[in-house]
Amino acid sequence: MTPPTPTSGSRHAISRGVSLYSFQEEYFLRTMSVEDCVAAVADMGARGIEVIPEQSIPGYPVLTDAFVTRWHHWMRAYGTTPVATNAFLDTKLHPDRRLTLDEQTSSVRRDIDIAVRLGAPIVKATINFSPEVMEAAAPYAEEHGVQLLLEVHAPFHYRHPWIVEHLEVMDRVGAHVLGLMPDMGIHVRRFPRVVSDRALRDGARPELVDFIVRTYDDRGDTHALMDIVNYRGGGPVEFALARQATHYIWTDPKEMLAHMPFIGHVQAKFYEMTDDGGEYSIPYEEIVPVLVEGGFAGCLSSEYEGNRHIQDAYDVDSVEQVRRQQSMLDRLLGETA
Amino acid sequence: MFDKYIICEDGFRARRDGRPGGELDVRMPYYRGLFLSMVEAVDLVLDDRAVPREHTTLIVHGTTYTFDEMPHVTDDRWEMGERAVLAFETDEPLTPGEHDVAVSIRLRISYMPVPGGGHSRKRLPLAPGAGEAA
């Protein structure tokens, strides 16, 4: 399997891709098919395709030969390359008990099989994968030439005990099998405006919204925000916003450098691309140079998450939002090359 | 997250089997499909009156499930964006015209400590059941 061609420059080997998750609004409403999503990615000059099988493959977990044939035809026809699939671990599949470790491992194996058939070399493990299941699934991943990467997703970060436990397993097993997929949502510097604006439309009191946003933006203590909002007379909408402020985190992008050997893919999460071509809350102009400096040689994969915050008031145009982010990433990758 | 799309506006009609009650096309407000065992509730409030859960069934791509059966269904999935049919029985036939429908969906999402899901409420005209004269 050939990796996607780097988009520009010779000082880095970073490629650009898009998670089809980004088009969830359109796919949910069936205004875009899976093929339309792939075509849109190709049209904006990105080459890597990341996919959530349980979102995009009708009949999952059964993957028909017909779908696999169509999938590979699309990749050839649009000049795209599968870069990653996303696996979810339904530990609570049954209402009365957790899946055993063996059952969880089987679930991961099934997802690895799907990645192999789709031609993707990486499987994203959601943050609820335990270190134990990562270690138990590692031999199967290695045997099938697939890397299993744990998403580092807010509110978790590299020094969080849950991630530290994972890092110990990764050290033991090796970066060729297990690694990290940082979600750029751990680098939220400014509170996403689409989220606070939505709260205002939902009736949140402006002074409480302002207080929550300022506390976050000033790196204030968010731990007791819900309590303070309560003391100030807030209700459910304000509580939800305050909780959100504890769920976003700011991590210095330079923290990625220490973990670079384990970083195999990056989720380029974003909430809002502004008219002037930047991301409102996540400083990609600081993130991309760190990836270049660290010799990251994987895919920067767009993950648009703004749709759910604007759909009440605006027409969602995920394609335009992703196109803007891809354009920004292209520019940043070119400038740093 | 897809709350506003839970209730399909063109999907409210009288029951097809002629019994009193109705059918409402509904979608799961989540960005992936789930095995039905993780769909904990699809609750309907019709004209401000809760329809008892035992009077409702969920039809997912043609198969009818009761809500007592669903916790054990680990081999059939409700796909993302897929229309399922919430069929319900009432004591009296539904009156023609508009009705207020509210649907709450509760999902067991493994990476979340609390239930996920969503809620939607709409006022919809009742269409005749399939096979009935308009």
Side-chain angles (χ1 to χ4, degrees), chain A residues 138-198:
Chain A
Y140 195 79
E142 183 164 26
E143 194 181 310
H144 289 79
V146 166
Q147 259 185 316
L148 197 53
L149 303 182
L150 179 80
E151 64 171 352
V152 184
H153 191 288
F156 298 94
H157 51 83
Y158 301 104
R159 283 169 289 163
H160 191 285
W162 180 246
I163 302 295
V164 170
E165 273 189 59
H166 273 283
L167 288 170
E168 287 163 5
V169 172
M170 288 170 193
D171 271 329
R172 202 155 55 231
V173 173
H176 62 299
V177 186
L178 298 185
L180 301 169
M181 186 184 293
D183 181 310
M184 296 300 99
I186 65 174
H187 305 299
V188 173
R189 172 172 280 156
R190 280 207 286 181
F191 198 92
R193 180 170 63 180
V194 288
V195 178
S196 50
D197 282 354
R198 172 70 186 264

Side-chain angles (χ1 to χ4, degrees), chain A residues 201-272:
Chain A
R201 288 197 299 277
D202 286 345
R205 283 165 46 189
E207 67 276 19
L208 289 179
V209 172
D210 186 56
F211 174 70
I212 292 165
V213 170
R214 275 192 294 110
T215 300
Y216 184 85
D217 288 355
D218 296 343
R219 306 277 87 80
D221 189 343
T222 55
H223 288 91
L225 257 184
M226 285 184 72
D227 297 80
I228 295 169
V229 166
N230 178 36
Y231 306 153
R232 297 277 186 211
V237 179
E238 289 93 347
F239 292 156
L241 195 70
R243 184 190 169 276
Q244 206 54 57
T246 66
H247 214 262
Y248 296 128
I249 59 168
W250 163 252
T251 305
D252 188 329
K254 288 194 185 307
E255 285 203 28
M256 281 192 285
L257 290 172
H259 303 286
M260 208 53 89
F262 285 100
I263 297 178
H265 185 95
V266 168
Q267 300 263 270
K269 162 82 58 65
F270 71 103
Y271 299 96
E272 180 193 7

Side-chain angles (χ1 to χ4, degrees), chain A residues 90-109:
Chain A
D90 286 319
T91 55
K92 302 180 192 170
L93 177 68
H94 305 288
D96 53 348
R97 66 175 184 86
R98 297 277 171 139
L99 288 192
T100 64
L101 181 59
D102 279 352
E103 287 170 330
Q104 292 184 40
T105 309
S106 297
S107 172
V108 184
R109 287 180 174 194

Side-chain angles (χ1 to χ4, degrees), chain A residues 25 54-55 60 93 311, chain B residues 1 5 31-32 37 77:
Chain A
E25 182 92 5
E54 350 188 356
Q55 177 179 78
Y60 171 96
L93 177 68
Q311 61 186 186
Chain B
M1 58 191 63
Y5 305 132
Y31 64 79
R32 63 183 176 111
S37 66
R77 294 173 73 85

Side-chain angles (χ1 to χ4, degrees), chain A residues 21 24-25 27-30 54-55 58-61 88-95 128 307-308 311, chain B residues 1-2 4-5 27-28 31-33 35 37-38 71 74 77 79-82 108-112:
Chain A
Y21 171 94
Q24 58 179 272
E25 182 92 5
Y27 184 70
F28 186 104
L29 295 171
R30 303 298 190 257
E54 350 188 356
Q55 177 179 78
Y60 171 96
F88 291 80
L89 190 53
D90 286 319
T91 55
K92 302 180 192 170
L93 177 68
H94 305 288
N128 70 321
N307 63 312
R308 65 186 65 162
Q311 61 186 186
Chain B
M1 58 191 63
F2 289 110
K4 67 181 284 196
Y5 305 132
R27 292 175 291 211
M28 189 167 63
Y31 64 79
R32 63 183 176 111
F35 286 112
S37 66
M38 292 174 278
T74 56
R77 294 173 73 85
E79 311 270 4
M80 179 213 187
E82 181 184 19
R108 195 169 60 254
I109 312 289
S110 292
Y111 61 77
M112 286 167 51

Side-chain angles (χ1 to χ4, degrees), chain B:
Chain B
M1 58 191 63
F2 289 110
D3 291 37
K4 67 181 284 196
Y5 305 132
I6 290 174
I7 295 173
C8 301
E9 286 161 21
D10 59 350
F12 183 48
R13 58 196 168 266
R15 284 182 74 96
R16 299 161 203 237
D17 61 7
R19 287 192 234 170
E23 294 182 350
L24 180 64
D25 291 355
V26 290
R27 292 175 291 211
M28 189 167 63
Y30 191 43
Y31 64 79
R32 63 183 176 111
L34 285 181
F35 286 112
L36 291 174
S37 66
M38 292 174 278
V39 178
E40 294 193 327
V42 183
D43 291 327
L44 173 67
V45 175
L46 179 72
D47 299 323
D48 294 320
R49 292 175 62 178
V51 177
R53 167 188 176 96
E54 58 273 19
H55 292 181
T56 61
T57 55
L58 193 70
I59 307 169
V60 182
H61 36 253
T63 307
T64 299
Y65 298 97
T66 68
F67 283 89
D68 281 345
E69 291 167 335
M70 293 223 316
H72 312 290
V73 180
T74 56
D75 60 355
D76 199 0
R77 294 173 73 85
W78 189 0
E79 311 270 4
M80 179 213 187
E82 181 184 19
R83 284 172 174 235
V85 178
L86 183 65
F88 59 97
E89 290 192 47
T90 50
D91 296 335
E92 302 288 333
L94 300 184
T95 55
E98 288 202 336
H99 290 268
D100 185 83
V101 292
V103 176
S104 300
I105 297 184
R106 196 172 71 241
L107 305 169
R108 195 169 60 254
I109 312 289
S110 292
Y111 61 77
M112 286 167 51
V114 294
H119 175 82
S120 179
R121 180 175 182 174
K122 288 177 181 169
R123 196 160 179 85
L124 298 181
L126 181 73
E132 289 180 35

